[in-house]
Amino acid sequence: MASIRRSLIALAAASACFVSSHSEAETVTWSLASAFGGGAFIEDAKNFAQTVEFLTEGRLKIEVYPAGTLGPAFKVTEMVQNGVAQIGHLWPGFDYGTDKTSVLFAGYPAGPSSEEMLHWIYEGGGLELWQQWRRERFNVVAFPCNNLTKEIFLHSKRPVRTEADFKGLKIRTVGAWAPLVEKLGATPVPLPPAEIYPALERGVVDAAEWAGPYANKVDGLHEVAKYVIVPGIHSTMAVQECVISPEAWNKLSERDQKLFEYATKLLTVGTWLRLGDLDAKTFREFEEKGNEIIDLDPEFIKKIADVGIEWQNELAAQDEWFKRILESQRNYQKLWEGSARYR
């Protein structure tokens, strides 16, 4: 946090160069509807709110409401559209039922790595495409608020190595992975984040995918499922998103809009670095505390990737926005081919 605080101070100082007739604007308070009820991700939302308030010198305050307070976890974007909240904080894949393009920012089989995604967003034209799509399809202003690391494939009560082991399992999942789980012979059980731990504990599901090692540890998934299955081929990265009402956004001064953008980029990069460090430490803890780490069979990994690519191509043929964003991501991945030789 010390390094983030130093960055905040530097950005606040740099912001003095922005001239705006609204520099003495009145304080504005936004309600933030989060898709997360607790754990590591609600802390991200609170940290984001504090960062925005700090950079804007208190002109924009954001009150964070956990999932279920203003509405359901899966309805955050809808709450912003309906004026229940000025800003929402969510995993884009929660909008998969409304628009499948959302999952291209949420993590999907055979997708870009978290590092590739981060560079695509800020250097490869990804942010512009993201914002255009959100404005056209949902009429909201959108920014990434966090770049997440590769997920754990499963926290499971049974060992899973092969496709045969996977078949028949009841698996908590949402988004693009849910229909593909079904194609691979298991049963997807869509549950919001707050219900994952009790569902595993009571045996409602046999296994669950949620996030990377650290976030899963905070939610206690390793305590109720002995087996930790890797790698997370089903979701090679994920991004948390902030969606904002255009009406609320347009009321901000140009300067505060720019400072808000600074805050989103700072938190996106900063939390990615923090999670990378915490994930490495947490994965060692899983091993030390008696969890059994299981590596998926290479043949099953290939099968998941093949099913994922087939699914991508099917949706790209049906939806122009999905195709446009997928092609942009794939082209950027090609640019990075062979990067291990020099990185």
Side-chain angles (χ1 to χ4, degrees):
M1 289 300 297
S3 62
I4 291 178
R5 176 63 62 179
R6 288 194 296 271
S7 298
L8 289 174
I9 293 170
L11 281 172
S15 71
C17 68
F18 287 94
V19 179
S20 170
S21 60
H22 302 287
S23 60
E24 301 299 326
E26 295 180 5
T27 299
V28 174
T29 301
W30 284 357
S31 296
L32 181 149
S34 179
F36 312 106
F41 296 152
I42 195 67
E43 293 306 313
D44 288 340
K46 292 175 181 178
N47 192 25
F48 175 72
Q50 292 169 2
T51 301
V52 169
E53 184 173 346
F54 180 83
L55 285 180
T56 62
E57 298 177 293
R59 290 186 299 277
L60 177 56
K61 299 179 183 293
I62 299 176
E63 296 180 353
V64 176
Y65 292 89
T69 308
L70 300 179
F74 293 160
K75 298 290 184 181
V76 167
T77 302
E78 189 174 311
M79 282 187 272
V80 173
Q81 290 172 318
N82 294 337
V84 175
Q86 289 76 38
I87 180 172
H89 175 243
L90 69 152
W91 177 66
F94 289 155
D95 285 337
Y96 184 76
T98 304
D99 190 329
K100 291 179 171 54
T101 304
S102 63
V103 82
L104 295 177
F105 307 101
Y108 56 93
S113 69
S114 60
E115 187 178 15
E116 289 169 340
M117 184 67 172
L118 190 64
H119 284 80
W120 174 74
I121 289 171
Y122 291 116
E123 302 297 333
L127 179 59
E128 292 77 12
L129 283 173
W130 188 343
Q131 291 179 327
Q132 290 169 25
W133 162 73
R134 269 300 195 186
R135 197 63 181 261
E136 183 176 310
R137 291 279 174 90
F138 292 86
N139 191 33
V140 293
V141 178
F143 291 95
C145 289
N146 189 356
N147 190 47
L148 304 177
T149 50
K150 181 182 285 189
E151 294 185 0
I152 296 292
F153 183 72
L154 288 175
H155 284 264
S156 178
K157 293 193 166 186
R158 306 180 195 175
V160 178
R161 292 181 177 83
T162 66
E163 184 177 357
D165 296 332
F166 189 79
K167 289 182 183 296
L169 292 179
K170 292 179 293 182
I171 297 174
R172 180 275 165 192
T173 191
V174 294
W177 186 224
L180 301 186
V181 160
E182 206 161 14
K183 280 189 175 183
L184 292 164
T187 301
V189 181
L191 295 171
E195 296 180 26
I196 301 174
Y197 181 98
L200 266 175
E201 186 178 38
R202 297 196 308 265
V204 174
V205 295
D206 303 305
E209 63 84 16
W210 168 226
Y214 175 71
N216 287 352
K217 184 191 82 165
V218 171
D219 286 348
L221 303 192
H222 64 298
E223 298 171 356
V224 288
K226 175 182 178 180
Y227 302 101
V228 178
I229 319 299
V230 293
I233 183 64
H234 69 296
S235 184
T236 53
M237 58 80 198
V239 181
Q240 287 176 8
E241 180 182 24
C242 287
V243 294
I244 307 135
S245 156
E247 182 180 3
W249 177 254
N250 291 335
K251 288 180 180 178
L252 295 180
S253 68
E254 183 179 346
R255 181 185 185 200
D256 285 345
Q257 286 179 348
K258 194 68 178 177
L259 291 170
F260 185 97
E261 287 186 55
Y262 280 148
T264 63
K265 188 170 184 178
L266 179 64
L267 268 293
T268 299
V269 177
T271 51
W272 177 70
L273 294 171
R274 181 175 63 89
L275 278 176
D277 177 68
L278 290 170
D279 281 351
K281 295 171 181 174
T282 300
F283 197 72
R284 285 179 177 263
E285 287 182 35
F286 287 160
E287 295 178 297
E288 292 166 358
K289 292 182 178 180
N291 290 100
E292 184 175 338
I293 312 298
I294 296 178
D295 294 284
L296 289 174
D297 183 86
E299 288 187 10
F300 189 32
I301 291 175
K302 184 179 184 307
K303 177 67 176 289
I304 293 168
D306 290 344
V307 168
I309 291 170
E310 181 183 352
W311 160 83
Q312 294 167 28
N313 293 338
E314 288 174 359
L315 290 187
Q318 299 168 15
D319 187 286
E320 186 57 36
W321 262 117
F322 192 100
K323 177 182 178 182
R324 187 176 171 188
I325 292 171
L326 178 65
E327 286 181 348
S328 178
Q329 289 180 344
R330 284 180 172 178
N331 288 336
Y332 201 75
Q333 280 182 279
K334 288 178 182 177
L335 178 66
W336 276 58
E337 286 178 358
S339 59
R341 296 180 65 191
Y342 61 85
R343 294 181 67 81

